[in-house]
Amino acid sequence: MKRRFLRAALCLGLLGTAPVTYAQSVLPLVEQTLPNPDNEPAPVHPVPHPRQLKWQETEFYAFFHYGMNTYTNREWGYGNEDRATFAPTAAPNPRQWLEVAKAAGMRGGIAVVKHHDGFCLWPTATTEHNVTNSGNDYGRQTNIPRDFAEAARDLGMKYGFYISPWDRNSALYGTERYVKEVFLRQCAEIAQYGTDQFEMWFDGANGGDGYYGGEEGRRSIDRATYYDVPNLRDTVHRVCPDCVLWGVGGEARWIGNEAGWAGQTNWSTENRDYVPEKNGMYGTEDGWFWLPGESDAKATNRGWFWHEGESPLSPERLFQMYLETIGRNSTLILNIPPNQAGVLPDASVEALTKMGELVQQRLSADLAAKASVTADHVRSAGVARHYEPINMTDGDKETYWATNDGETTATITLSWDSPQTVRYVELMEYIAKGQRVRKFHIEALSLDGTWIPCAMQVETTTIGYKRIVPLNGSTAASYDEGLQVKAMRIVIEDSKACPLISRVAVY
Ligand code: FUL
């Protein structure tokens, strides 16, 4: 009784003190600190969704443009192609595509299953414009999503599909019915080919002229609203929870060019109104959501699709792309076009395999693993977790070195018992808690005992998921004899909050 009176009196301010709100009287505000026995650093927002984190770890994967255009020598079919034109000269072999990707050191692949011409490489219920009506038995038996998913699982690779939102064949394109009855249904059908897909690719080319069921002409759509993205995400994520929706889907961004390079400064954060061609390479430092970059590039000298007379780029050029994308906090999706027999031509196989060898030779014998690693600042340990420098070389992506809160500069030192020949330094931030580092530099202790700055020409600003710095400053084919060093220092000069580094490697 008494208590109730007191509470009512408090509410009405009857006890002579300042008026008290009802909420304060019933739920007294108590200063609360969440328990943090492991002294874990607070996140710097925005942070990636767990599916974006898994996606980022894919790093390097293949793109396979195969379909109607393979048989018409075009890059963009108009949508009026005779279905019989799709007539593979042998059964398309996605397993071979992925084997080559694996030999190149890739961890997955994305196959085009519908390009802008609208021809579907699986037996879909949404349109007659599909493989079941193609020109020969090889064509009619083609089912790329089925065979690609199966091969990927067999080879232990990640897989996903490219479904063009723009459909120059469909009479319904431009109407709401297209989105509901064709596009979203196609995505749902494709999702059924495997719940473990890692990415669906939705191109930005949308609207324009086409066949449109024979009406021909131009159709335009409002990119921001037309594809019902909330529904799209729901449709796909319900079936494929780890599938990142690229481009139109808004979970990973185009790096803004198709030439295989990302900015040296590259943030994985963006704002809604960013212009891909301008900001795509760099991201936006204080962007308000997580939108990591993906670089799409061609491994051949003609189009995305196969063309007679094409040839692959040199392994050295492909290696340079690797450094300028994966080495700059972007993923790399490298296109290799299957030919009219539905296989990758020998020349591509050779170039990609050689490229894989270069990556292996140059970026796998980690000298940091046998160095002694120290840092001038180390975060105080918690009950079950420490933040010692050893966390950067233990090969465990879940452990990281950190400094105490408020310490945003620090020096990491690696030293060896005997001189080492070094060419690249690789760094990784623990991005689950946000991208932090703004500026760093690298120094080497030469054999005469002087510290010399390395890679002066390189903008050593952001790190992000992964940064690879060529110590001679050049990403071009200039794999020289390297530097002779006794020790190396990585100096973090500026960070949004205490830096968290999960890996340092030296090659
Ligand atoms: C572009 C498309 O228009 C090309 O045909 C290709 O598919 C490429 C990867 O994306 O925007």
Side-chain angles (χ1 to χ4, degrees), residues 448-471:
D448 67 10
T450 49
W451 284 100
I452 45 165
C454 302
M456 293 288 279
Q457 314 84 311
V458 179
E459 263 176 48
T460 41
T461 44
T462 53
I463 297 174
Y465 169 75
K466 185 176 272 189
R467 185 76 198 264
I468 304 172
V469 180
L471 296 172

Side-chain angles (χ1 to χ4, degrees), residues 14 40 48 58 106 217 388 397 503:
L14 294 183
E40 287 202 34
T58 316
M106 302 185 190
E388 296 292 333
K397 63 181 179 161
R503 177 172 166 86

Side-chain angles (χ1 to χ4, degrees), residues 6-25:
L6 191 66
R7 212 185 277 164
L10 273 169
C11 287
L12 298 169
L14 294 183
L15 297 183
T17 50
V20 178
T21 65
Y22 179 75
Q24 271 175 312
S25 67

Side-chain angles (χ1 to χ4, degrees), residues 81-96:
E81 291 75 20
D82 184 345
R83 290 160 196 160
T85 311
F86 184 79
T89 58
N93 186 354
R95 195 188 163 92
Q96 184 250 6

Side-chain angles (χ1 to χ4, degrees), residues 49-286:
H49 185 281
R51 83 164 63 88
Q52 290 172 309
L53 265 182
K54 287 190 193 167
W55 168 89
Q56 189 88 52
E57 287 167 6
T58 316
E59 291 188 14
F60 183 28
Y61 37 98
F63 219 174
F64 301 108
H65 276 70
Y66 172 72
M68 187 60 89
N69 295 333
T70 310
Y71 301 90
T72 58
N73 196 27
R74 302 187 72 168
E75 281 288 295
W76 280 13
Y78 190 65
N80 62 345
E81 291 75 20
D82 184 345
R83 290 160 196 160
T85 311
F86 184 79
T89 58
N93 186 354
R95 195 188 163 92
Q96 184 250 6
W97 312 353
L98 284 163
E99 279 168 354
V100 175
K102 195 169 183 174
M106 302 185 190
R107 297 187 182 150
I110 291 190
V112 171
V113 291
K114 178 184 114 170
H115 204 251
H116 311 330
D117 55 68
F119 187 74
C120 296
L121 300 183
W122 78 100
T124 173
T126 59
T127 172
E128 289 298 307
H129 207 51
N130 77 60
V131 279
T132 58
N133 295 313
S134 59
N136 66 10
D137 278 348
Y138 289 132
R140 287 186 282 274
Q141 281 152 21
T142 294
N143 183 332
I144 297 296
R146 179 196 62 199
D147 296 348
F148 193 77
E150 194 186 303
R153 280 194 214 102
D154 242 41
L155 295 165
M157 298 190 69
K158 297 201 199 180
Y159 67 98
F161 300 101
Y162 171 126
I163 308 164
S164 170
W166 182 25
D167 189 322
R168 303 173 94 191
N169 173 263
S170 175
L172 296 176
Y173 187 80
T175 68
E176 205 178 306
R177 282 187 61 201
Y178 168 77
V179 177
K180 291 205 159 57
E181 294 170 30
V182 182
F183 178 60
L184 290 181
R185 273 179 73 196
Q186 290 179 340
C187 295
E189 283 182 3
I190 290 302
Q192 297 296 338
Y193 281 98
T195 55
D196 51 347
Q197 292 175 41
F198 87 104
E199 177 175 337
M200 245 184 223
W201 220 90
F202 300 112
D203 191 52
N206 284 291
D209 62 341
Y211 174 68
Y212 303 126
E215 274 179 29
E216 313 220 4
R218 284 192 82 74
R219 296 207 178 158
S220 61
I221 51 114
D222 176 353
R223 285 161 175 249
T225 55
Y226 182 59
Y227 293 110
D228 195 359
V229 171
N231 223 329
L232 170 66
R233 287 192 182 165
D234 227 47
T235 307
V236 177
H237 289 154
R238 219 175 304 144
V239 185
C240 304
D242 288 339
C243 189
V244 157
L245 306 185
W246 187 90
V248 164
E251 293 185 308
R253 73 172 200 267
W254 181 40
I255 211 69
N257 66 72
E258 292 177 343
W261 64 273
Q264 302 190 53
T265 299
N266 184 12
W267 294 95
S268 291
T269 46
E270 257 312 346
N271 291 323
R272 275 291 163 228
D273 57 357
Y274 83 104
V275 181
E277 293 81 353
K278 265 172 64 189
N279 311 119
M281 301 82 165
Y282 314 105
T284 297
E285 178 172 338
D286 289 315

